Amino acid sequence: MTKGKKYIESVKLVDKSKLYDPKEALDLVCKTAKAKFDETVEMHIRLGVDSRHADQQVRGAVVLPNGTGKTVRTLVFCKGDKVQQALDAGADYAGSDEYVEKIQKENWFEFDVIIATPDMMGMIGRLGKILGPKGLMPNPKAGTVTPDVAKAVTEAKAGKIEYRLDKTNIIHCPIGKASFGVDKLNENLETLLGAVIKAKPAAAKGQYIKSCVIASTMGPGIKVNSSKIG
């Protein structure tokens, strides 16, 4: 694949062998985000754990202080009074059977986050094969299975992100948009990394954070010195 002119220019700004201090790395990320749209800044954290073992899983959710810069569409599975509570809190959709059917029959995915009350999980289980691969299944650890739907909707809209290990023991998460600037991105970066460190499994041995790389949507990866964070 041939790399574009802007990407090649951006790569020249980055020293591949260097571990940058967080603010220096974020300054570079903002400079290398040269696309015509507001690029998302992503963080990739490689952990010294083995995701094949249940006792070494790292998963959770955190509200980024400056949000993600993305409009989050929420679907809430609930019944009775909870439907109105969810809608009043800003949910885009709230209900039960009708949305299960819509997803099953129409392949409908006009949402980014699913929140559910615990009593709805039996019904949502029927959608496991559809929602699971897309990472949309509600989960108590992420705070998306809860009786307090209003709070969950508010947090999702405010920039709550879920982090979880992939099969290669890496966590990939957005930490905002390039337009946020260094200070806001740094606050988000510290919040996410702090949450990941706090979630360290007791079974994890040796170095926990192996490496940390940030990049904008179209820009090159920049290595961050994670020991300089916080």
Side-chain angles (χ1 to χ4, degrees):
M1 192 175 96
T2 54
K3 299 286 186 188
K5 200 168 83 177
K6 286 179 182 173
Y7 181 88
I8 291 163
E9 281 171 19
S10 294
V11 167
K12 288 177 188 168
L13 298 171
V14 181
D15 180 347
K16 287 282 184 195
S17 63
K18 183 177 173 182
L19 281 178
Y20 289 90
D21 285 355
K23 284 198 168 180
E24 200 184 354
L26 289 165
D27 185 47
L28 264 177
V29 159
C30 294
K31 283 178 181 162
T32 56
K34 294 180 177 178
K36 287 179 179 162
F37 60 92
D38 191 5
E39 295 184 44
T40 295
V41 178
E42 284 219 341
M43 191 166 173
H44 309 278
I45 309 164
R46 183 184 290 280
L47 298 181
V49 295
D50 189 342
S51 63
R52 290 171 301 180
H53 298 292
D55 63 351
Q56 291 188 42
Q57 286 298 323
V58 179
R59 182 176 187 172
V62 63
V63 178
L64 297 179
N66 301 299
T68 59
K70 185 182 173 203
T71 305
V72 179
R73 300 165 300 171
T74 53
L75 163 62
V76 183
F77 281 106
C78 55
K79 284 181 175 172
D81 298 347
K82 301 278 186 193
V83 173
Q84 199 54 50
Q85 285 172 26
L87 294 171
D88 289 346
D92 298 84
Y93 313 97
S96 53
D97 308 344
E98 67 273 31
Y99 288 111
V100 172
E101 208 166 294
K102 204 168 166 60
I103 292 167
Q104 279 178 326
K105 292 185 177 172
E106 298 172 30
N107 203 24
W108 175 75
F109 286 103
E110 297 295 311
F111 50 85
D112 306 295
V113 174
I114 295 180
I115 293 156
T117 52
D119 59 319
M120 301 301 287
M121 288 309 291
M123 188 179 75
I124 297 169
R126 304 206 303 263
L127 299 171
K129 283 185 179 165
I130 305 170
L131 300 177
K134 292 180 182 286
L136 287 167
M137 204 63 183
N139 181 279
K141 276 192 178 171
T144 44
V145 178
T146 172
D148 193 347
V149 290
K151 183 186 175 198
V153 169
T154 305
E155 287 185 343
K157 294 279 183 184
K160 185 175 192 175
I161 57 161
E162 189 179 344
Y163 57 86
R164 59 191 295 186
L165 275 184
D166 69 6
K167 283 176 183 161
T168 58
N169 305 314
I170 300 174
I171 286 172
H172 310 271
C173 275
I175 54 166
K177 298 282 185 183
S179 62
F180 281 19
V182 173
D183 290 340
K184 283 186 173 179
L185 285 169
N186 191 53
E187 281 179 11
N188 282 356
L189 178 148
E190 287 186 346
T191 301
L192 171 62
L193 203 70
V196 171
I197 290 168
K198 217 170 166 180
K200 180 181 178 178
K205 299 283 182 279
Q207 188 184 353
Y208 180 53
I209 292 183
K210 292 274 192 186
S211 67
C212 190
V213 174
I214 52 173
S216 62
T217 309
M218 309 294 284
I222 298 160
K223 294 175 187 170
V224 180
N225 184 351
S226 54
S227 65
K228 293 285 178 77
I229 291 167

